[in-house]
Amino acid sequence: MFYTQSNQKTDVLATGLNGLVGSKLTASLDQYNFANIDRADPQFPVDITNIDQVKAAFAKSSSKVVIHLAAFTDVTKAWEQKGDKSAIAWQVNVLGTQNIITAAKETGKHLIHISTAYVFDGDNSEMYTEDDQPRPIEWYGQTKYEAEQLIKQSDINWTILRIDQPFRSDPFVKLDTAHRIIEGIKSGKLYPQFTDHFFGPTFIDDFVTVIDFFIRTQTQGLFHASSGEMWSDFDFALLLNQALNLGGEIKSGSLDEYLKSLNRPYQKNTALNCEKLKQILDFKLTPIGEAVKKISF
Ligand SMILES: NC(=O)c1ccc[n+]([C@@H]2O[C@H](COP(=O)([O-])OP(=O)(O)OC[C@H]3O[C@@H](n4cnc5c(N)ncnc54)[C@H](OP(=O)(O)O)[C@@H]3O)[C@@H](O)[C@H]2O)c1
């Protein structure tokens, strides 16, 4: 909801605050007075693909930063739109981001943009660093990569934070990476977990504190902001099963086999090296082994 309050809290403008990550941000950072750019707001609806609405929302806000979380995040549906720049994935992720850049420039706001490890092709055997060259292999990753490029080519102040497979301690209406596995174990319907697919889980409870760091410091540049750890699906499921005493049976599977039946490309490894971020943070990220113990379901 778009709102302002006359209290002593610092105003922070953002997009996507009703989503998986954004709703944790507002629930956790009580020191800020968040204003959400929200297309469902009854009084002041703002669709980020509408430049006039975006400009009006920015003009209303005294925030020095804008946190840009809003995106079309359904990777499978995005693949069905491959190459179609008039379809929603491109419109929201690329045109929408261009509108945010334009309004940030007009109002002098620092842009904190949330991006994804899916900008990479997934062929690395190691964790990806900020120096690795992106090469998206599917349409969602392509649109998020194009958005990054627009920001890098702009002359505004910016931070790009890439994350991968986020999960939070509490359940949310959209199941995250951890809660999807937990639900699968509990219902006895968990698919075999890949031993040959790797990712870098992002503990959202930590990530919102990372975002707070960038609100406070407005440090510029590109940062990988997951846990800095690399897990296979199978090992992560085993960890959840054990840490949360779920008592399920985790069967192993192979991504290579699954890919034979999948009609879209799938990155084999999206784990992110976070050393650049860890060197500047004024707090320590929670190891994934500890983070999963905080999960409720
Ligand atoms: N979830 C992941 O696995 C993942 C992984 C890596 C990176 N990321 C990135 O992290 C960010 C947050 O992801 P998330 O999972 O929290 O997203 P999410 O749960 O799918 O939420 C997306 C948010 O964007 C808003 N939105 C979509 N289209 C909009 C439009 N045209 N105008 C205004 N708002 C619009 C949605 O508003 P409504 O509530 O009105 O629909 C929703 O609040 C995204 O930038 C995503 O690319 C996510």
Side-chain angles (χ1 to χ4, degrees):
M1 187 168 74
F2 196 94
Y3 59 93
T4 54
Q5 286 172 2
S6 54
N7 55 25
Q8 296 307 307
K9 295 181 181 182
T10 308
D11 284 340
V12 171
L13 183 65
T15 70
L17 289 183
N18 293 329
L20 172 70
V21 178
S23 57
K24 191 68 180 175
L25 191 69
T26 52
S28 306
L29 304 186
D30 189 41
Q31 63 272 41
Y32 299 116
N33 180 30
F34 285 103
N36 188 21
I37 285 180
D38 180 1
R39 58 190 167 165
D41 186 274
Q43 266 98 45
F44 197 75
V46 181
D47 187 313
I48 62 166
T49 64
N50 182 318
I51 185 64
D52 294 331
Q53 291 179 357
V54 172
K55 282 184 176 181
F58 273 62
K60 269 179 83 156
S61 171
S62 67
S63 176
K64 290 191 168 56
V65 301
V66 56
I67 305 163
H68 182 32
L69 289 145
F72 184 87
T73 57
D74 188 324
V75 180
T76 302
K77 285 208 178 105
W79 178 247
E80 291 162 10
Q81 303 164 22
K82 183 175 183 284
D84 184 356
K85 294 185 177 177
S86 67
I88 190 164
W90 181 277
Q91 290 289 307
V92 172
N93 295 355
V94 184
L95 178 70
T97 301
Q98 179 56 64
N99 290 341
I100 299 293
I101 295 168
T102 303
K105 184 174 166 60
E106 246 181 43
T107 52
K109 297 189 199 306
H110 177 113
L111 171 58
I112 300 172
H113 175 76
I114 312 308
S115 192
T116 173
Y118 283 20
V119 297
F120 294 116
D121 60 14
D123 287 346
N124 259 25
S125 53
E126 306 287 319
M127 290 189 276
Y128 284 92
T129 74
E130 292 83 352
D131 293 331
D132 284 316
Q133 180 58 39
R135 197 180 74 83
I137 57 170
E138 40 70 40
W139 191 237
Y140 165 75
Q142 182 72 41
T143 62
K144 293 292 286 186
Y145 172 66
E146 299 286 346
E148 285 191 1
Q149 292 301 101
L150 290 174
I151 294 165
K152 288 179 179 172
Q153 288 156 13
S154 75
D155 54 0
I156 61 169
N157 291 338
W158 57 265
T159 309
I160 296 174
L161 303 176
R162 288 187 187 136
I163 58 173
D164 187 31
Q165 304 278 336
F167 71 96
R168 44 196 268 179
S169 55
D170 54 332
F172 184 66
V173 57
K174 174 173 124 176
L175 288 184
D176 61 37
T177 298
H179 285 91
R180 200 178 311 118
I181 293 171
I182 293 165
E183 287 303 314
I185 295 173
K186 275 169 50 191
S187 65
K189 291 179 183 161
L190 186 71
Y191 288 107
Q193 296 293 299
F194 303 142
T195 51
D196 54 353
H197 174 255
F198 300 90
F199 67 104
T202 305
F203 187 38
I204 297 176
D205 302 44
D206 269 3
F207 182 57
V208 297
T209 315
V210 170
I211 293 178
D212 176 41
F213 173 84
F214 285 96
I215 297 173
R216 285 189 280 115
T217 64
Q218 292 172 36
T219 309
Q220 297 193 51
L222 167 66
F223 295 89
H224 288 175
S226 64
S227 53
E229 298 183 25
M230 181 169 166
W231 287 79
S232 73
D233 298 15
F234 182 69
D235 285 339
F236 189 64
L238 283 182
L239 176 74
L240 288 169
N241 194 33
Q242 187 186 35
L244 301 172
N245 292 316
L246 298 174
E249 186 198 352
I250 314 295
K251 295 188 181 124
S252 66
S254 157
L255 175 63
D256 279 338
E257 277 306 306
Y258 175 65
L259 284 178
K260 290 175 190 163
S261 64
L262 191 70
N263 64 356
R264 70 168 171 85
Y266 198 85
Q267 302 86 346
K268 288 186 179 165
N269 171 27
T270 49
L272 299 171
N273 177 314
C274 298
E275 288 310 310
K276 183 180 171 189
L277 176 73
K278 287 180 182 173
Q279 278 170 20
I280 62 162
L281 280 184
D282 49 14
F283 69 98
K284 291 223 177 309
L285 297 175
T286 312
I288 290 301
E290 293 303 311
V292 296
K293 292 180 190 161
K294 299 176 193 262
I295 293 176
S296 60
F297 50 91

